[in-house]
């Protein structure tokens, strides 16, 4: 993920700092902060687990370091708030699915799921439902259960699902339509700030530590 992100940044003519790797038992990110400061990096992008994101924030606060943008993939998880409280404010994260997302048909899916199971659906349920949606639509369009016809139909199809738009690159079959929503912790809650059609709040700049005030 880090290498793909770097490659896309280079294509957009952004200046890219070296990728920093660390072992699974790291809890102090001071060396990485020093590297970021030396490189004058404006964005810190991490594809880490929630514990790592929490330790990064603890290190940031201790060293009074605040990049202009802080993205950690796991920041959308509620556990981050439990680990670091309000220090999680303004962190960006990635959200594959949530019952609150305004994706096509998600409101109907959530209602039907809740009626049957007395709970809201999670990512696994949404993925299963999206797969069934795509397959059913492919069968309808192909007018057949023939595997070759279905494969051809799926290679060209664009189908709205609760996870977003299904679309693949015909040659490789790689998914290019569905993209995770970007969230930001605002007042202790992950809000969707991208894409525009799904946003529940506007993105705010990442704050310096001395600018932060206790939330009520």
């Amino acid at each position: 993920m880090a290498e793909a992100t770097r490659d896309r940044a280079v294509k957009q003519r952004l200046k890219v700092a070296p990728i920093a790797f660390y072992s699974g038992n790291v809890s102090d990110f001071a060396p990485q902060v020093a590297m970021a400061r030396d490189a004058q990096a404006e964005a810190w992008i991490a594809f880490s687990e929630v514990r790592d994101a929490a330790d990064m924030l603890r290190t940031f606060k201790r060293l009074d370091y605040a990049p202009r943008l802080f993205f950690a993939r796991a920041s959308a998880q509620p556990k981050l708030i439990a680990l670091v409280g309000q220090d999680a404010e303004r962190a960006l994260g990635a959200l594959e699915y949530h019952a609150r997302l305004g994706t096509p048909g998600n409101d109907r899916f959530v209602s039907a799921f809740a009626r049957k199971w007395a709970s809201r659906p999670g990512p696994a349920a949404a993925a299963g439902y999206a797969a069934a949606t795509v397959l059913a639509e492919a069968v309808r369009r192909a007018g057949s259960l023939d595997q070759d016809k279905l494969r051809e139909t799926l290679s060209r199809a664009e189908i709205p699902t609760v996870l977003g738009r299904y679309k693949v690159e015909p040659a490789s079959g790689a998914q290019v339509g569905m993209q995770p929503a970007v969230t930001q912790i605002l007042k202790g809650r992950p809000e969707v700030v991208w894409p525009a059609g799904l946003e529940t709040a506007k993105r705010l700049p990442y704050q310096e530590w001395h600018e932060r005030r206790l939330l009520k």
Side-chain angles (χ1 to χ4, degrees):
M1 289 184 184
E3 292 176 352
T5 300
R6 179 193 58 192
D7 292 344
R8 294 188 68 174
V10 169
K11 289 179 181 179
Q12 295 181 46
R13 299 182 179 180
L14 297 174
K15 184 179 179 181
V16 181
I19 296 176
F21 298 93
Y22 59 91
S23 65
N25 60 356
V26 168
S27 60
D28 184 357
F29 287 85
Q32 288 78 13
V33 169
M35 290 173 58
R37 280 177 162 154
D38 289 343
Q40 298 183 336
E42 296 183 294
W44 180 297
I45 300 174
F47 298 98
S48 52
E49 299 303 324
V50 67
R51 180 191 64 83
D52 301 321
D55 286 334
M56 288 173 188
L57 288 169
R58 293 186 184 106
T59 304
F60 288 2
K61 186 176 183 179
R62 176 168 55 84
L63 299 178
D64 192 28
Y65 171 71
R68 292 183 62 182
L69 180 150
F70 173 63
F71 172 95
R73 182 183 59 178
S75 289
Q77 296 184 25
K79 188 178 179 182
L80 183 65
I81 305 294
L83 290 172
V84 298
Q86 295 187 12
D87 289 345
E89 281 293 304
R90 307 287 181 93
L92 296 168
L95 187 67
E96 299 287 345
Y97 175 78
H98 194 281
R100 292 193 296 122
L101 283 180
T103 46
N106 193 39
D107 53 347
R108 297 190 301 275
F109 168 58
V110 171
S111 295
F113 189 94
R115 285 196 301 271
K116 184 173 181 61
W117 301 107
S119 65
R120 305 182 93 185
Y129 185 78
T133 299
V134 170
L135 181 58
E137 181 61 16
V139 171
R140 187 190 69 80
R141 295 185 187 185
S144 170
L145 293 176
D146 180 80
Q147 298 296 292
D148 291 334
K149 290 183 179 179
L150 285 175
R151 186 178 297 108
E152 173 63 21
T153 299
L154 288 169
S155 71
R156 295 180 287 102
E158 293 190 32
I159 302 171
T161 80
V162 297
L163 294 181
R165 181 170 57 103
Y166 167 88
K167 181 181 179 181
V168 298
E169 204 284 317
S172 65
Q175 178 60 239
V176 296
M178 297 178 187
Q179 295 181 332
V182 176
T183 64
Q184 185 174 45
I185 303 298
L186 297 170
K187 295 184 178 180
R189 177 176 177 174
E191 299 285 356
V192 177
V193 295
W194 186 88
L198 300 180
E199 65 184 9
T200 59
K202 296 293 184 181
R203 184 179 69 84
L204 297 177
Y206 197 70
Q207 288 179 302
E208 297 284 345
W209 292 100
H210 69 271
E211 296 175 344
R212 300 183 179 222
R213 298 294 181 266
L214 186 66
L215 297 175
K216 297 181 180 180

